[in-house]
Amino acid sequence: MDVVNQLQRQFIDYSASLHREGFLDDQFTQLQKLQDDNSPDFVVEVASLFFEDCEKLINNMARALEQQQGVDFKQVDASVHQLKGSSSSIGAMRVKDVCIAFRSFCEAQNRE
Amino acid sequence: MARNGGVAWMRTTDKIDGYDLSTSDTEEVHVLAVDDSLVDRKVIERLLRISSCKVTAVDSGRRALQYLGLDEEIQKKETNGFDGLKVDLIITDYCMPGMTGYELLKKVKESSAFREIPVVIMSSENVIARIDRCLEEGAEDFIVKPVKLSDVKRIIDYTTTELREGEQREGARAKRRGINKRKQREGDDDLSSSPPSTLSSSTSSPSSSIQSATAPSSPSTLDSPTRRLKMTSSE
């Protein structure tokens, strides 16, 4: 039981720090509230879907950016847009903020 | 029920006779959720289930139309035209490849069978012009993502009220539809001042005050003014 308490405390501390450092925002807290006994793995499931989504989108972006004949910024932008959407739905604030910055680079057609 | 492509089924009951609003077992609202993002679909599905709704989630406008039975390629000749449960509310993402939420909204509003169904648009972009356009086309409401439980609760609340009022209005509405077809395009600013139940009485007085449509928008009390294309005034 002690171990469980310890782990719980660690989890709470870790969560709090993620919030403090701006990795997570209120939306994530909302999602946590949606989890209950009927859906005990909700957060894990959504997070997993998010990671899969991220992977796919980042691969798309990498491919688009590596194009020899010229980067298709529209495609990169589309992927970033989707990533921004998903990250904001899950509460991954930092990712979302990075996406916003990224998009302005796309608009400026700035490959660097 | 088999799982197909991007459609998630919850469970189906045999409510094929469409306007059976007073459901025998529960009064659950059946929502059709449309979003191309899997993460968003999962989140909205959960939000809706927690709000005691039945949810059918699909990944595109096309599939939504198929589900409703509106897809041109798949002719559904059932008189009631429902592929499954009657849909009480459609909630859709705006930015989707293929058919946008706006286009889906238009198609729903153009169909005589489904134009009554309230449609809510979600978008991550808070663009006034976009919001206006959607509301003008008949959207019930416009939610900016990320969607929160409070947003969902609010929508379900007035959809449920709508449904209850709908039972009373049904007859009045049918009559009104015939007479006042053009009025569908007119603004409904009056509604914000009058409680929904007044709608049934509005048929008897073809007043010059512009009453809105039959269609979706009645829940007045919300801060989403539904503006319609003004065609003519009263009869």
PDB file of all heavy atoms in Angstrom, chain A residues 1-18 20 32:
ATOM      1  N   MET A   1       0.843  -1.207   0.000  1.00  0.00           N
ATOM      2  CA  MET A   1       0.000   0.000   0.000  1.00  0.00           C
ATOM      3  C   MET A   1       0.863   1.236   0.000  1.00  0.00           C
ATOM      4  O   MET A   1       0.541   2.234  -0.605  1.00  0.00           O
ATOM      5  CB  MET A   1      -0.906   0.019   1.246  1.00  0.00           C
ATOM      6  CG  MET A   1      -2.140  -0.866   1.099  1.00  0.00           C
ATOM      7  SD  MET A   1      -2.969  -0.585  -0.459  1.00  0.00           S
ATOM      8  CE  MET A   1      -4.149   0.654   0.007  1.00  0.00           C
ATOM      9  N   ASP A   2       1.954   1.094   0.682  1.00  0.00           N
ATOM     10  CA  ASP A   2       2.866   2.206   0.767  1.00  0.00           C
ATOM     11  C   ASP A   2       3.401   2.588  -0.606  1.00  0.00           C
ATOM     12  O   ASP A   2       3.547   3.754  -0.938  1.00  0.00           O
ATOM     13  CB  ASP A   2       4.039   1.811   1.672  1.00  0.00           C
ATOM     14  CG  ASP A   2       4.294   2.907   2.656  1.00  0.00           C
ATOM     15  OD1 ASP A   2       3.445   3.816   2.715  1.00  0.00           O
ATOM     16  OD2 ASP A   2       5.325   2.864   3.330  1.00  0.00           O
ATOM     17  N   VAL A   3       3.703   1.530  -1.344  1.00  0.00           N
ATOM     18  CA  VAL A   3       4.236   1.748  -2.692  1.00  0.00           C
ATOM     19  C   VAL A   3       3.214   2.489  -3.535  1.00  0.00           C
ATOM     20  O   VAL A   3       3.548   3.420  -4.272  1.00  0.00           O
ATOM     21  CB  VAL A   3       4.569   0.393  -3.357  1.00  0.00           C
ATOM     22  CG1 VAL A   3       5.023   0.620  -4.773  1.00  0.00           C
ATOM     23  CG2 VAL A   3       5.635  -0.325  -2.558  1.00  0.00           C
ATOM     24  N   VAL A   4       1.972   2.066  -3.389  1.00  0.00           N
ATOM     25  CA  VAL A   4       0.918   2.721  -4.168  1.00  0.00           C
ATOM     26  C   VAL A   4       0.842   4.201  -3.815  1.00  0.00           C
ATOM     27  O   VAL A   4       0.764   5.061  -4.691  1.00  0.00           O
ATOM     28  CB  VAL A   4      -0.455   2.047  -3.914  1.00  0.00           C
ATOM     29  CG1 VAL A   4      -1.554   2.826  -4.611  1.00  0.00           C
ATOM     30  CG2 VAL A   4      -0.435   0.614  -4.397  1.00  0.00           C
ATOM     31  N   ASN A   5       0.883   4.473  -2.527  1.00  0.00           N
ATOM     32  CA  ASN A   5       0.832   5.877  -2.101  1.00  0.00           C
ATOM     33  C   ASN A   5       1.989   6.670  -2.652  1.00  0.00           C
ATOM     34  O   ASN A   5       1.844   7.801  -3.108  1.00  0.00           O
ATOM     35  CB  ASN A   5       0.847   5.966  -0.566  1.00  0.00           C
ATOM     36  CG  ASN A   5      -0.499   5.598   0.013  1.00  0.00           C
ATOM     37  OD1 ASN A   5      -1.503   5.639  -0.695  1.00  0.00           O
ATOM     38  ND2 ASN A   5      -0.523   5.235   1.280  1.00  0.00           N
ATOM     39  N   GLN A   6       3.150   6.019  -2.609  1.00  0.00           N
ATOM     40  CA  GLN A   6       4.339   6.702  -3.115  1.00  0.00           C
ATOM     41  C   GLN A   6       4.186   7.032  -4.583  1.00  0.00           C
ATOM     42  O   GLN A   6       4.477   8.131  -5.037  1.00  0.00           O
ATOM     43  CB  GLN A   6       5.546   5.787  -2.949  1.00  0.00           C
ATOM     44  CG  GLN A   6       6.452   6.180  -1.812  1.00  0.00           C
ATOM     45  CD  GLN A   6       7.676   5.281  -1.789  1.00  0.00           C
ATOM     46  OE1 GLN A   6       8.159   4.876  -2.842  1.00  0.00           O
ATOM     47  NE2 GLN A   6       8.143   4.972  -0.605  1.00  0.00           N
ATOM     48  N   LEU A   7       3.742   6.020  -5.312  1.00  0.00           N
ATOM     49  CA  LEU A   7       3.587   6.226  -6.745  1.00  0.00           C
ATOM     50  C   LEU A   7       2.569   7.310  -7.029  1.00  0.00           C
ATOM     51  O   LEU A   7       2.748   8.140  -7.913  1.00  0.00           O
ATOM     52  CB  LEU A   7       3.156   4.927  -7.435  1.00  0.00           C
ATOM     53  CG  LEU A   7       4.254   3.888  -7.626  1.00  0.00           C
ATOM     54  CD1 LEU A   7       3.667   2.604  -8.192  1.00  0.00           C
ATOM     55  CD2 LEU A   7       5.339   4.407  -8.551  1.00  0.00           C
ATOM     56  N   GLN A   8       1.510   7.286  -6.243  1.00  0.00           N
ATOM     57  CA  GLN A   8       0.490   8.306  -6.445  1.00  0.00           C
ATOM     58  C   GLN A   8       1.060   9.690  -6.224  1.00  0.00           C
ATOM     59  O   GLN A   8       0.799  10.622  -6.973  1.00  0.00           O
ATOM     60  CB  GLN A   8      -0.691   8.084  -5.494  1.00  0.00           C
ATOM     61  CG  GLN A   8      -1.677   7.081  -6.020  1.00  0.00           C
ATOM     62  CD  GLN A   8      -2.805   6.811  -5.043  1.00  0.00           C
ATOM     63  OE1 GLN A   8      -2.675   7.089  -3.847  1.00  0.00           O
ATOM     64  NE2 GLN A   8      -3.893   6.268  -5.531  1.00  0.00           N
ATOM     65  N   ARG A   9       1.836   9.793  -5.164  1.00  0.00           N
ATOM     66  CA  ARG A   9       2.423  11.090  -4.874  1.00  0.00           C
ATOM     67  C   ARG A   9       3.357  11.541  -5.973  1.00  0.00           C
ATOM     68  O   ARG A   9       3.362  12.685  -6.386  1.00  0.00           O
ATOM     69  CB  ARG A   9       3.169  11.045  -3.542  1.00  0.00           C
ATOM     70  CG  ARG A   9       2.622  12.048  -2.549  1.00  0.00           C
ATOM     71  CD  ARG A   9       3.247  11.895  -1.218  1.00  0.00           C
ATOM     72  NE  ARG A   9       3.484  10.479  -0.918  1.00  0.00           N
ATOM     73  CZ  ARG A   9       4.306  10.061   0.027  1.00  0.00           C
ATOM     74  NH1 ARG A   9       4.953  10.894   0.767  1.00  0.00           N
ATOM     75  NH2 ARG A   9       4.479   8.773   0.238  1.00  0.00           N
ATOM     76  N   GLN A  10       4.132  10.595  -6.466  1.00  0.00           N
ATOM     77  CA  GLN A  10       5.063  10.920  -7.548  1.00  0.00           C
ATOM     78  C   GLN A  10       4.305  11.380  -8.774  1.00  0.00           C
ATOM     79  O   GLN A  10       4.679  12.331  -9.450  1.00  0.00           O
ATOM     80  CB  GLN A  10       5.888   9.689  -7.932  1.00  0.00           C
ATOM     81  CG  GLN A  10       7.060   9.464  -7.031  1.00  0.00           C
ATOM     82  CD  GLN A  10       7.865   8.247  -7.481  1.00  0.00           C
ATOM     83  OE1 GLN A  10       7.602   7.675  -8.532  1.00  0.00           O
ATOM     84  NE2 GLN A  10       8.819   7.863  -6.676  1.00  0.00           N
ATOM     85  N   PHE A  11       3.228  10.689  -9.034  1.00  0.00           N
ATOM     86  CA  PHE A  11       2.425  11.029 -10.190  1.00  0.00           C
ATOM     87  C   PHE A  11       1.876  12.444 -10.073  1.00  0.00           C
ATOM     88  O   PHE A  11       1.917  13.217 -11.019  1.00  0.00           O
ATOM     89  CB  PHE A  11       1.288  10.019 -10.345  1.00  0.00           C
ATOM     90  CG  PHE A  11       0.341  10.370 -11.455  1.00  0.00           C
ATOM     91  CD1 PHE A  11       0.726  10.262 -12.779  1.00  0.00           C
ATOM     92  CD2 PHE A  11      -0.934  10.833 -11.165  1.00  0.00           C
ATOM     93  CE1 PHE A  11      -0.139  10.596 -13.802  1.00  0.00           C
ATOM     94  CE2 PHE A  11      -1.815  11.159 -12.191  1.00  0.00           C
ATOM     95  CZ  PHE A  11      -1.420  11.047 -13.510  1.00  0.00           C
ATOM     96  N   ILE A  12       1.373  12.737  -8.896  1.00  0.00           N
ATOM     97  CA  ILE A  12       0.802  14.069  -8.690  1.00  0.00           C
ATOM     98  C   ILE A  12       1.873  15.144  -8.841  1.00  0.00           C
ATOM     99  O   ILE A  12       1.652  16.171  -9.480  1.00  0.00           O
ATOM    100  CB  ILE A  12       0.124  14.157  -7.306  1.00  0.00           C
ATOM    101  CG1 ILE A  12      -1.118  13.263  -7.307  1.00  0.00           C
ATOM    102  CG2 ILE A  12      -0.268  15.589  -6.957  1.00  0.00           C
ATOM    103  CD1 ILE A  12      -1.751  13.114  -5.953  1.00  0.00           C
ATOM    104  N   ASP A  13       3.018  14.870  -8.274  1.00  0.00           N
ATOM    105  CA  ASP A  13       4.115  15.841  -8.376  1.00  0.00           C
ATOM    106  C   ASP A  13       4.528  16.044  -9.821  1.00  0.00           C
ATOM    107  O   ASP A  13       4.741  17.169 -10.281  1.00  0.00           O
ATOM    108  CB  ASP A  13       5.341  15.370  -7.586  1.00  0.00           C
ATOM    109  CG  ASP A  13       5.119  15.496  -6.090  1.00  0.00           C
ATOM    110  OD1 ASP A  13       4.179  16.229  -5.703  1.00  0.00           O
ATOM    111  OD2 ASP A  13       5.864  14.863  -5.321  1.00  0.00           O
ATOM    112  N   TYR A  14       4.643  14.939 -10.493  1.00  0.00           N
ATOM    113  CA  TYR A  14       5.067  15.002 -11.888  1.00  0.00           C
ATOM    114  C   TYR A  14       4.059  15.759 -12.740  1.00  0.00           C
ATOM    115  O   TYR A  14       4.406  16.619 -13.539  1.00  0.00           O
ATOM    116  CB  TYR A  14       5.272  13.579 -12.421  1.00  0.00           C
ATOM    117  CG  TYR A  14       5.834  13.533 -13.808  1.00  0.00           C
ATOM    118  CD1 TYR A  14       7.055  14.128 -14.123  1.00  0.00           C
ATOM    119  CD2 TYR A  14       5.130  12.889 -14.828  1.00  0.00           C
ATOM    120  CE1 TYR A  14       7.563  14.092 -15.407  1.00  0.00           C
ATOM    121  CE2 TYR A  14       5.643  12.837 -16.111  1.00  0.00           C
ATOM    122  CZ  TYR A  14       6.858  13.440 -16.395  1.00  0.00           C
ATOM    123  OH  TYR A  14       7.350  13.388 -17.673  1.00  0.00           O
ATOM    124  N   SER A  15       2.808  15.436 -12.525  1.00  0.00           N
ATOM    125  CA  SER A  15       1.734  16.134 -13.253  1.00  0.00           C
ATOM    126  C   SER A  15       1.806  17.618 -13.004  1.00  0.00           C
ATOM    127  O   SER A  15       1.719  18.429 -13.926  1.00  0.00           O
ATOM    128  CB  SER A  15       0.357  15.675 -12.761  1.00  0.00           C
ATOM    129  OG  SER A  15      -0.071  14.570 -13.463  1.00  0.00           O
ATOM    130  N   ALA A  16       1.968  17.954 -11.736  1.00  0.00           N
ATOM    131  CA  ALA A  16       2.010  19.372 -11.375  1.00  0.00           C
ATOM    132  C   ALA A  16       3.170  20.067 -12.074  1.00  0.00           C
ATOM    133  O   ALA A  16       3.028  21.182 -12.575  1.00  0.00           O
ATOM    134  CB  ALA A  16       2.121  19.532  -9.869  1.00  0.00           C
ATOM    135  N   SER A  17       4.294  19.400 -12.128  1.00  0.00           N
ATOM    136  CA  SER A  17       5.444  20.057 -12.758  1.00  0.00           C
ATOM    137  C   SER A  17       5.245  20.204 -14.254  1.00  0.00           C
ATOM    138  O   SER A  17       5.647  21.199 -14.844  1.00  0.00           O
ATOM    139  CB  SER A  17       6.743  19.322 -12.441  1.00  0.00           C
ATOM    140  OG  SER A  17       6.847  18.162 -13.251  1.00  0.00           O
ATOM    141  N   LEU A  18       4.593  19.222 -14.837  1.00  0.00           N
ATOM    142  CA  LEU A  18       4.333  19.340 -16.273  1.00  0.00           C
ATOM    143  C   LEU A  18       3.426  20.534 -16.557  1.00  0.00           C
ATOM    144  O   LEU A  18       3.598  21.240 -17.541  1.00  0.00           O
ATOM    145  CB  LEU A  18       3.677  18.064 -16.810  1.00  0.00           C
ATOM    146  CG  LEU A  18       4.588  16.858 -16.974  1.00  0.00           C
ATOM    147  CD1 LEU A  18       3.787  15.644 -17.411  1.00  0.00           C
ATOM    148  CD2 LEU A  18       5.695  17.122 -17.983  1.00  0.00           C
ATOM    149  N   ARG A  20       3.174  23.160 -14.589  1.00  0.00           N
ATOM    150  CA  ARG A  20       3.935  24.383 -14.276  1.00  0.00           C
ATOM    151  C   ARG A  20       4.851  24.762 -15.406  1.00  0.00           C
ATOM    152  O   ARG A  20       5.001  25.917 -15.748  1.00  0.00           O
ATOM    153  CB  ARG A  20       4.792  24.144 -13.022  1.00  0.00           C
ATOM    154  CG  ARG A  20       4.301  24.874 -11.809  1.00  0.00           C
ATOM    155  CD  ARG A  20       5.369  24.919 -10.726  1.00  0.00           C
ATOM    156  NE  ARG A  20       6.204  23.725 -10.667  1.00  0.00           N
ATOM    157  CZ  ARG A  20       6.013  22.704  -9.844  1.00  0.00           C
ATOM    158  NH1 ARG A  20       5.004  22.721  -9.010  1.00  0.00           N
ATOM    159  NH2 ARG A  20       6.822  21.649  -9.855  1.00  0.00           N
ATOM    160  N   GLN A  32      -8.469  14.259 -17.946  1.00  0.00           N
ATOM    161  CA  GLN A  32      -8.317  13.389 -16.783  1.00  0.00           C
ATOM    162  C   GLN A  32      -9.641  13.236 -16.050  1.00  0.00           C
ATOM    163  O   GLN A  32      -9.967  12.171 -15.549  1.00  0.00           O
ATOM    164  CB  GLN A  32      -7.257  13.956 -15.826  1.00  0.00           C
ATOM    165  CG  GLN A  32      -5.845  13.731 -16.330  1.00  0.00           C
ATOM    166  CD  GLN A  32      -4.809  14.358 -15.418  1.00  0.00           C
ATOM    167  OE1 GLN A  32      -4.927  15.510 -15.060  1.00  0.00           O
ATOM    168  NE2 GLN A  32      -3.802  13.594 -15.067  1.00  0.00           N
TER     169      GLN A  32
END
